[in-house]
Amino acid sequence: MRSMRTIFVLFLCVVFIFSGCGMSKTATGTLIGVGGGAAVGAGVGKVAGNTALGAVIGAAVGGAAGAIIGNRMDKQKKELESVLPEDTGVEIIEEEGQPPALRVTFDSGILFATNSSTVSAASKSALRNLAVNLEQNPDTDLKIIGHTDNTGAVDYNQTLSEKRAKSVYDYLIEQGLSSRRMVYEGKGIREPVASNNTAEGRAENRRVEVMILANEKMIQDAQREAGVN
């Protein structure tokens, strides 16, 4: 048992080394799928969180199927980059044993006025473009997550982050997306990506993330294409 743990740890080290050296997302996804699937099993991963969608996303995916999903996420990433504002972050996220996912990050200052949870008129075009792309890629589920900086009361920030995530959720429903594809939550101040000690860092922490996750159909199709029984 100890030797198996050692092998798995060494495998993860190789994955991270290759990731740092610029290995393609598809190739990295293949490595993670091969080594991580058996170890992680059907547990809910960090990307999906503890949600109903997480039960699907947490399922282990083998190397070849992971590579197929990685190719599809690469394609959708390029599509989104062509229709969303330049300052929108679009990146592929990979977790051990899970299908590659996409994370779209909107600066809250773009989506909302200060201390507001109402989607601004200026941001609606970007969200409409996002909705169109999501309609064109139906084999995905979404998790919408609101974040704030640490300015003000913790409880206030938690509530604001939840309201902002729900506003994006509601607007995407207005654009025709099914609520069955989506969940939302607020993280408040709990998951900063930069220091809250500077204005620039606080601006980075005020954000809404849309996680685009392979749904059960995409996973099954990829496994079938990969020849997994």
Side-chain angles (χ1 to χ4, degrees):
M1 206 49 198
R2 183 177 301 171
S3 62
M4 286 298 294
R5 290 196 193 99
T6 302
I7 291 170
F8 182 63
V9 169
L10 289 173
F11 167 80
L12 288 182
C13 290
V14 171
V15 170
F16 290 130
I17 289 169
F18 276 115
S19 297
C21 292
M23 176 177 274
S24 72
K25 299 297 184 183
T26 300
T28 306
T30 302
L31 284 173
I32 291 175
V34 171
V40 177
V44 176
K46 296 177 184 177
V47 168
N50 188 18
T51 68
L53 299 181
V56 173
I57 304 308
V61 174
I68 290 168
I69 293 172
N71 277 330
R72 293 174 183 170
M73 291 297 177
D74 276 330
K75 178 178 177 291
Q76 189 172 2
K77 176 178 182 289
K78 292 171 184 174
E79 292 170 354
L80 288 169
E81 287 172 337
S82 70
V83 299
L84 295 178
E86 289 185 3
D87 51 2
T88 304
V90 185
E91 58 188 321
I92 292 182
I93 302 298
E94 290 163 328
E95 294 285 346
E96 303 95 309
Q98 297 180 38
L102 279 173
R103 179 167 61 201
V104 180
T105 304
F106 293 98
D107 183 333
S108 287
I110 297 173
L111 294 179
F112 308 100
T114 303
N115 292 327
S116 172
S117 60
T118 301
V119 174
S120 69
S123 69
K124 289 182 178 180
S125 175
L127 291 177
R128 282 194 297 269
N129 288 341
L130 174 64
V132 169
N133 178 268
L134 294 170
E135 286 281 18
Q136 294 170 345
N137 294 274
D139 295 342
T140 54
D141 289 326
L142 311 176
K143 184 175 181 181
I144 303 164
I145 311 168
H147 301 269
T148 68
D149 63 25
N150 68 348
T151 304
V154 172
D155 289 347
Y156 175 83
N157 281 313
Q158 179 61 37
T159 300
L160 180 62
S161 70
E162 292 169 1
K163 287 182 176 179
R164 286 180 167 177
K166 186 175 188 300
S167 289
V168 173
Y169 169 91
D170 288 341
Y171 190 76
L172 291 177
I173 288 176
E174 289 177 18
Q175 302 311 302
L177 290 184
S178 170
S179 61
R180 289 176 294 182
R181 293 179 63 182
M182 299 188 286
V183 295
Y184 68 89
E185 70 172 308
K187 294 285 190 178
I189 68 172
R190 287 179 288 159
E191 294 185 0
V193 293
S195 171
N196 277 307
N197 295 326
T198 66
E200 293 79 8
R202 290 191 294 273
E204 288 186 53
N205 292 331
R206 297 189 296 269
R207 68 198 191 279
V208 173
E209 297 172 343
V210 180
M211 299 297 304
I212 301 174
L213 310 162
N215 69 8
E216 186 174 8
K217 181 178 182 301
M218 182 185 286
I219 293 171
Q220 290 177 346
D221 287 348
Q223 289 173 332
R224 188 160 42 248
E225 187 175 339
V228 178
N229 294 326

